[in-house]
Each structure stands twice: as C-alpha cells, then as structure tokens.
Amino acid sequence: MQARGFIVGKTAVAPSACASIRTNALAQARAQAVEERRRRPIAVLARALGLTARLEAREAAAESSKPHEQRGITGPHGRLLIPVSPDTPFVASALRAAFQGLGGEAAARQAGLTPAAWLVELAVLVALPGAAEQPPHLDVLPRDALSMATLFLPLQETTAANGATVLYPAPPSEVAARCDWDAMQRGAGGGRTFSADGTDTADDTVGAAEARMQAEFAEDAAASAGLSMPVSSPWTRFSKPALGLGTPLSMALKAGDALWMDYRCFHHGGANRSDELRAVLYATFSEDREEGEGAETMDAEAGHGDHTSFSMAPREQCHCLSEYLGARL
C-alpha cells in the first residue's frame, strides 16, 4: 500500500452478504424518494386539488419503462449516495470480514491508521446507467499529517463497462510531497477559492473562465456519448501530467472483493455504459474527526479533521476501526 496507495483482498466477504446490503440500500433509497416526491410543490398541489391519483399514475407510467431494480432510483449526475448505518443488517459483519481478508490491523497500519481511528463515512454509492466518468480527484487535499483511508466493497461485479473505480497507483507520501496542493487549488499567489460546483468564485479571473470552459468540454463529451452530465470539479483545471498521474488502473473486482485505498491515491469512478446499476459500499476511517455539530461530545484528545462527511454527522462518528478488525464472515 505504501508503494501503490492501495491493496486488494480477494473474496473477503460472502457475495450473498453483498447482495443483501445492496438490496437493503436500494430499498432505503426508494423509500426516501417516495417521501421526497410527496413533499414536492406539485404533489402538495395535486393533493389539494384531488389529483394525486392522476399524478401518481403519470409518474408510474414514466417509471414503467425502467428495469424493475432501477425504478425509483435517481441521482444528480447519474450517481446516488445512500448513507447507511453500521447497525444495518450485514454491514458491520461485512466490514469485519473485509478487514480480515485485507490483513486486519496490519492493513490499517499501512494506511497510517491505528485501531482507534474513527469511522467518518459509511454509504452505498450507486452509479446509474449512463453516469459519466468522474475526473481524477482526491477527496481531501493530501498532507502527511493526516491519516485517512477508504474501504471499497463492490456489491456486485465491477467492470470497465459498468464504471469500475479507476486508480492512479503511486506512493501516497510522494503524492503528498509532490506539489503545494493548497496553492494549486486556490491559485498560487492569487488567493482564489472554489464554489461547490468546482468553479472559481471570482468570476472575473482567468481561472473562472478556464474552469467553465473545461466543464463545458466535459459536458459536451458526455452528451455526445449519451451519458449524464459529469460532476464539476476543481481538479478538471489540471491535466493528468500536471498532477503527475501515471498509468490508470481499472479495478475490475468481484462482489465481496475488498479494496483498501489511502486517501492520497488519485481515483475516479468510470462511466457506466451498461444497463445495470453499479453499487459499492464504502467506509472511510480517519485519525481525525470532523469539526461541527456534536463535536463537543468527542474525546478531548480527538483532533478536528478537515474532511467534511457526506454521510455521517459528527455526532454519529462514534465507531472505531477496532470494532471491525475481527473475524471472517
């Protein structure tokens, strides 16, 4: 892992457990989508006018053309993040089995983590058919002072066709030391910052125009290939040579294989050109926890990390890696 940024454990988790996690996550997403549809202004108006049955019939007709598994599953840019709890059936036991297959505590040490590291992300990420390729990126700016790693558990076979995760192998410490990453993101000497969609917040700068142009190129390429619009990212401003990226490696994995990746490893989700959903359970562990709501309940010695969790509020970050360094499923 210290040489390439990741390790793989083959068939660490029973495929049947993966299938159960996948089914439960998709059911959770459908239930959430039903509730969200009920709260839409058009749905509220339909109830007031007694037209709910007509609206529901129209929407059901639109969904009927989809394969059964994909009905009710939508997401921005063709991807859907489904937060899950460690208490969800099969999840905790699957994490324990995955770490056992990876080498247990030795695997954690390779990522610079101790058994006391905190679980800060836990979700199922779904790529819908037609989802565009993501740009190569890191989830957090790399620095040697922060130890963080993510466990990926494919819930079905992942292939180049359905958008398998692509990694750019490199020594993580070398990635962290290669450039002044903060300067690259904010603009060396310019103090630029970026909005959530990856565009420069200063509209009159060259960087803003460049970011918009790169985003438009990516959108045009996706549209011509019949794919969803790709998510914008500040990383699109930099070419692969500028980032020092080497040869990409598409991680074609079986259901139950475990991928353990240092957070300093550049990666991206591939385009899903198949007609099936691709679902991956991922769990991120960090020696630091997010600062925010509930932070006052953390241990006095716990650091406040610079990773903002998309799936777990700070008060929910109460599970340690030690809980999952256990027996095989």
Side-chain angles (χ1 to χ4, degrees):
M1 188 170 189
Q2 294 172 352
R4 307 183 75 198
F6 69 93
I7 56 175
V8 175
K10 290 294 186 179
T11 320
V13 181
S16 59
C18 295
S20 295
I21 294 171
R22 189 178 193 273
T23 298
N24 292 340
L26 294 178
Q28 175 183 322
R30 291 189 192 96
Q32 180 65 30
V34 168
E35 183 58 31
E36 290 176 355
R37 286 198 298 271
R38 284 179 52 83
R39 294 197 297 264
R40 291 174 305 162
I42 190 174
V44 174
L45 179 60
R47 287 196 294 273
L49 298 176
L51 299 175
T52 299
R54 183 179 299 181
L55 176 63
E56 291 178 348
R58 186 180 71 181
E59 293 177 341
E63 288 284 302
S64 64
S65 61
K66 297 181 180 180
H68 179 75
E69 184 185 56
Q70 298 175 27
R71 295 176 187 175
I73 304 297
T74 60
H77 308 289
R79 285 179 166 80
L80 176 63
L81 187 71
I82 309 171
V84 298
S85 165
D87 299 325
T88 301
F90 299 101
V91 169
S93 55
L95 293 178
R96 286 194 291 270
F99 279 112
Q100 183 70 12
L102 289 164
E105 191 172 340
R109 287 197 301 270
Q110 289 186 56
L113 295 173
T114 69
W118 298 103
L119 176 64
V120 296
E121 290 271 11
L122 183 62
V124 170
L125 180 61
V126 177
L128 284 68
E133 179 178 276
Q134 296 174 317
H137 64 276
L138 298 174
D139 298 319
V140 181
L141 291 180
R143 58 183 175 88
D144 280 329
L146 177 64
S147 295
M148 181 182 290
T150 297
L151 172 71
F152 292 96
L153 181 64
L155 302 180
Q156 74 295 293
E157 184 177 7
T158 61
T159 65
N162 67 16
T165 299
V166 176
L167 304 183
Y168 293 83
S173 58
E174 178 184 299
V175 172
R178 183 183 300 143
C179 301
D180 184 341
W181 297 99
D182 187 66
M184 288 183 71
Q185 289 292 73
R186 298 182 181 277
R192 293 203 304 270
T193 58
F194 296 88
S195 60
D197 66 357
T199 56
D200 199 310
T201 54
D203 289 339
D204 59 345
T205 65
V206 174
E210 181 184 351
R212 285 195 297 270
M213 183 173 64
Q214 293 289 352
E216 289 173 3
F217 286 160
E219 290 174 2
D220 289 345
S224 64
L227 300 172
S228 301
M229 292 300 179
V231 64
S232 297
S233 169
W235 293 106
T236 60
R237 297 177 60 248
F238 308 106
S239 67
K240 293 179 181 179
L243 294 173
L245 302 186
T247 304
L249 179 62
S250 180
M251 302 304 296
L253 301 171
K254 301 289 187 182
D257 290 347
L259 169 64
W260 182 229
M261 184 191 78
D262 190 291
Y263 87 104
R264 295 168 293 181
C265 183
F266 270 93
H267 62 283
H268 72 265
N272 187 351
R273 303 179 185 277
S274 75
D275 57 2
E276 299 179 347
L277 302 175
R278 176 176 60 83
V280 177
L281 175 71
Y282 77 93
T284 299
F285 295 86
S286 174
E287 289 294 319
D288 292 348
R289 282 189 290 186
E290 177 188 352
E291 183 174 9
E293 181 185 359
E296 67 278 0
T297 65
M298 299 178 185
D299 295 340
E301 296 180 356
H304 291 161
D306 56 1
H307 171 70
T308 299
S309 177
F310 293 99
S311 61
M312 301 181 75
R315 64 178 177 275
E316 297 172 337
Q317 296 174 19
C318 55
H319 294 271
C320 291
L321 179 56
S322 59
E323 299 177 37
Y324 308 108
L325 299 176
R328 192 178 182 86
L329 181 64

